[in-house]
């Protein structure tokens, strides 16, 4: 996806309804470009930042909204964290949601042991599939 986003989107076509999604993307370059634009890392990062800012500004009484229980809990947790936040803490909290958008950044978060265990589990689960070597150029 990072190397060729257009090809990656079009590769998803078999999972989409042909007439409703696949055909318009293939026939109309503007639609494909819009899909790439609005699903880009930078666009999603901006969306999450705006959403985070809006969510942190909601009043404490989210119970009046018709949200599922889990969403209300998430609001409560976020609001509690924001109350105790300084701008640097807010940035720290936000950064795990949308990190850098670069290939290989996991190396900055996994210990050597975690990395080995992940490699072993991935090899075990993907053995005999077309995906077993999918990331060999990035490891």
């Amino acid at each position: 996806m990072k190397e060729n986003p257009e090809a990656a989107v079009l590769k998803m076509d078999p999972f989409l309804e042909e007439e409703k999604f696949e055909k318009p993307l293939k026939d109309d370059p503007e639609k494909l470009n819009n899909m790439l634009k609005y699903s880009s890392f930078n666009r999603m990062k901006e969306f999450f930042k705006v959403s985070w800012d809006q969510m942190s500004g909601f009043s404490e009484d989210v119970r009046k909204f018709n949200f599922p229980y889990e969403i209300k809990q998430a609001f409560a947790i976020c609001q509690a964290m924001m109350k105790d936040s300084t701008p640097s803490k807010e940035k720290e909290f936000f950064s795990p949601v949308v990190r850098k958008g670069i290939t290989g950044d996991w190396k900055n978060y996994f210990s050597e042991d975690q990395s080995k265990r992940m490699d072993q589990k991935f090899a075990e689960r993907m053995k005999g599939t077309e995906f077993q070597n999918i990331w060999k150029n990035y490891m």
Side-chain angles (χ1 to χ4, degrees):
M1 288 187 98
K2 295 288 282 182
E3 290 173 3
N4 190 342
E6 183 176 319
V9 166
L10 292 174
K11 196 173 184 178
M12 292 182 219
D13 283 350
F15 300 101
L16 304 174
E17 291 180 45
E18 184 171 352
E19 287 302 313
K20 193 172 184 181
F21 299 106
E22 181 180 357
K23 191 170 179 352
L25 287 178
K26 285 185 175 178
D27 293 349
D28 188 344
E30 185 178 348
K31 286 182 181 173
L32 179 59
N33 286 333
N34 280 337
M35 180 174 213
L36 294 169
K37 176 182 171 182
Y38 291 108
S39 64
S40 71
F41 176 81
N42 287 336
R43 193 58 88 130
M44 285 193 271
K45 186 173 184 174
E46 184 59 31
F47 171 79
F48 279 108
K49 169 110 180 64
V50 169
S51 297
W52 175 256
D53 290 345
Q54 290 172 346
M55 184 170 60
S56 65
F58 282 156
S59 72
E60 289 187 29
D61 190 9
V62 295
R63 290 179 216 105
K64 66 183 176 183
F65 295 106
N66 190 21
F67 291 135
Y69 172 78
E70 293 80 7
I71 300 296
K72 290 180 183 181
Q73 289 299 100
F75 279 122
I77 291 167
C78 291
Q79 288 172 337
M81 292 182 82
M82 291 304 292
K83 270 186 180 176
D84 298 332
S85 287
T86 61
S88 62
K89 279 188 179 178
E90 180 180 335
K91 187 177 178 186
E92 266 178 45
F93 177 74
F94 178 71
S95 64
V97 177
V98 180
R99 293 191 335 235
K100 297 175 189 162
I102 58 173
T103 304
D105 191 41
W106 61 270
K107 294 174 186 176
N108 296 316
Y109 296 88
F110 277 33
S111 68
E112 190 174 327
D113 181 57
Q114 288 171 322
S115 181
K116 285 179 185 176
R117 288 185 3 236
M118 181 62 85
D119 289 346
Q120 289 170 345
K121 183 60 79 173
F122 184 83
E124 173 188 310
R125 297 273 173 105
M126 297 298 132
K127 187 176 182 177
T129 73
E130 63 183 290
F131 300 109
Q132 70 186 47
N133 295 315
I134 196 167
W135 287 304
K136 71 179 178 179
N137 295 337
Y138 304 102
M139 304 307 276

